[in-house]
Amino acid sequence: MVIYRVVVHQEGFFLSGDAHRTSIQLVGSKGASDCVPLAERSAEYEVSCPASLGALLLVRLEAPPTTTSVWFCSKVTVTTPEGRVLLFPCYRFVRCSTALALRDSIAKFVFDDVRPIELEQRINELMYQSMKAEDEKFLHSVSHTHTHTHTHTHTHFLSVQLSPTHTPTHTHTSCPLLGLVERLWKDDWFFGQQFLNGANPTLIRRCSELPSNMAVTEEMVRSSLEGGASLQQEMERGNIFLVDYRRLDGLTPNMVNKKQNYITAPLVLLHLNSKHFLLPIAIQLKQAPGEDNPVFVPQDLEFDWLTAKTFVRAADFAEHELHAHFLRTHMMSELFAMATLRNFPMAHPLYKLLIPHFRFTLEIDTLARNLLISDGGTLSTYTAVGGPGMLEFLRRASAALTYHDLCLPDDITRRGLESIPNYYYRDDGLQLILIGHRYVEGVASYYYHDDSDVIRDSELQSWINEIIVFGHLIDEKKGFPKSFTSVSELTYFVTMVIFTASAQHAAVNNAQLDYFGWMPNAPVGLQLPPPSTKGLCSESSLLASFPDVNATVHGLATVYLLSKRPTDYVPLGSSAEQHFTENFPVEMAARFRSDLKRLSYEIQVRNIGLMLPYVYLQPHNVEDSVAR
Ligand SMILES: [Fe+2]
């Protein structure tokens, strides 16, 4: 007779249940144990077998159909009669009719599994998760997602994803700039710096040639440039920048409180002066030039200029929430999460690497669909870009999305922003990419011995194929890889996935309350049409443009909630889930955390000297996943 000592780790003050009525069975290469019922108040068990089970392959947990108990199993550890301690990660709920077959924590590719029972487990696990996904009709493409207002929930997937440590309460949030924005929102330098380090740092680009539809002339901007330089000279020197909201052009604006709202698609020209201030020098509020579409300049009357800037800020609110935030972080993370759940079994090293970065993503996106963009949702009801314009905008944005948009180094290069000073989103983001790439490269190189391993990993190839197909990313012009042929190609992509789910989301999510908490700096909509001639704007016309109180309150409540840090907040790299146990990936993860800590310190030191500290990509402020 031999004894296996088993510890079942049950977590849970959330949806906690007891594990009784679940049975556990050990399966080895030389046979299986009896099914042992779990006791009501014990985590440790002894499983007796007549002889050694050989190599321990699986731990089976099975709950009968009649049980009403729901409990969360984080992991099972087994000490064999030979003295080996094996860990079997679970991190799933056990409920009625559950039959889980857990693999030990040593990562394996499909081509490493030589025993039929291992392959069977692998296939069954994928079928189990795929079936749930099919039930939910969840894997609509990004563009399809935007053409429907989904009302379904993802209950089944939540049972896979939810951890019992999740609670809906929040702690105070860090919003160091909220009070300053109220004081600074009218200042041109503050207006300009928001394009670099505000809530939406993704739209500005260097301008080497004026857009053909912008009717700005040398005379209009001459007094804004220094030392008699011409606009052409400043463009050649790399000092002129453009923000173009053309995706908003021609959208059907929303009615809010039965009042017509207005959306403009501004063009904003900015100049980087010798003191490194980025100042707006011309604003054209509509795309088509014409007599009813004046180019506003800082020398205009105070309220003409302030009204023009306010229309830009309202456009930026729409661009930020729907494109930079919802599409590029929430929707893309959901796409990556779904492909991961459907194509990688838990034994796959990339499952182990990626799964912490999808914590609560399906849940928060379900809430966003049901409460923000659905009929009657906050964005649909109270914002100018809500309603029919929202779906068209999202269609345009998803159609234009490229791989390079999601890869920060490429994005910075393509926007010509490699050298613009004081662009902290770029500086901190590139450091995070560097650290993340080193981590992913280390883990990927450890498991994929050479490029041929990448090519023959059928689960990996299915994963990228599903991302491409269901994300409608197949167009060559979008630049996404259709398959992986090398470790380096895979590393670059996976680094992008983790960056999108963590840092990129932090950059656009966590700045919301700071920059949108003072309504005039980010109106959810404007109730008067944009000025078609100069000299008619006034303080009273600007006040009349602002959204109604109830629309403002709903907008503020939303950004307040999304900016608040939950009590179960998990910083980047700090997941408590134990998926890897092999020395090398564990050491790589430790180095990842150490690198992040060093970067946190460096950013903290840098921020001491800044009037507007950039804190959103300080690693301890970067959440591990899209979770709010
Ligand atoms: Fe978010």
Side-chain angles (χ1 to χ4, degrees), residues 291-294 296 304 530-537:
E291 288 188 4
D292 65 341
N293 187 19
F296 293 93
D304 280 353
S532 56
T533 185
K534 294 187 180 184
L536 300 180
C537 294

Side-chain angles (χ1 to χ4, degrees), residues 325 330 505 509 628:
H325 184 201
H330 281 256
H505 178 255
N509 186 85
R628 55 179 159 144

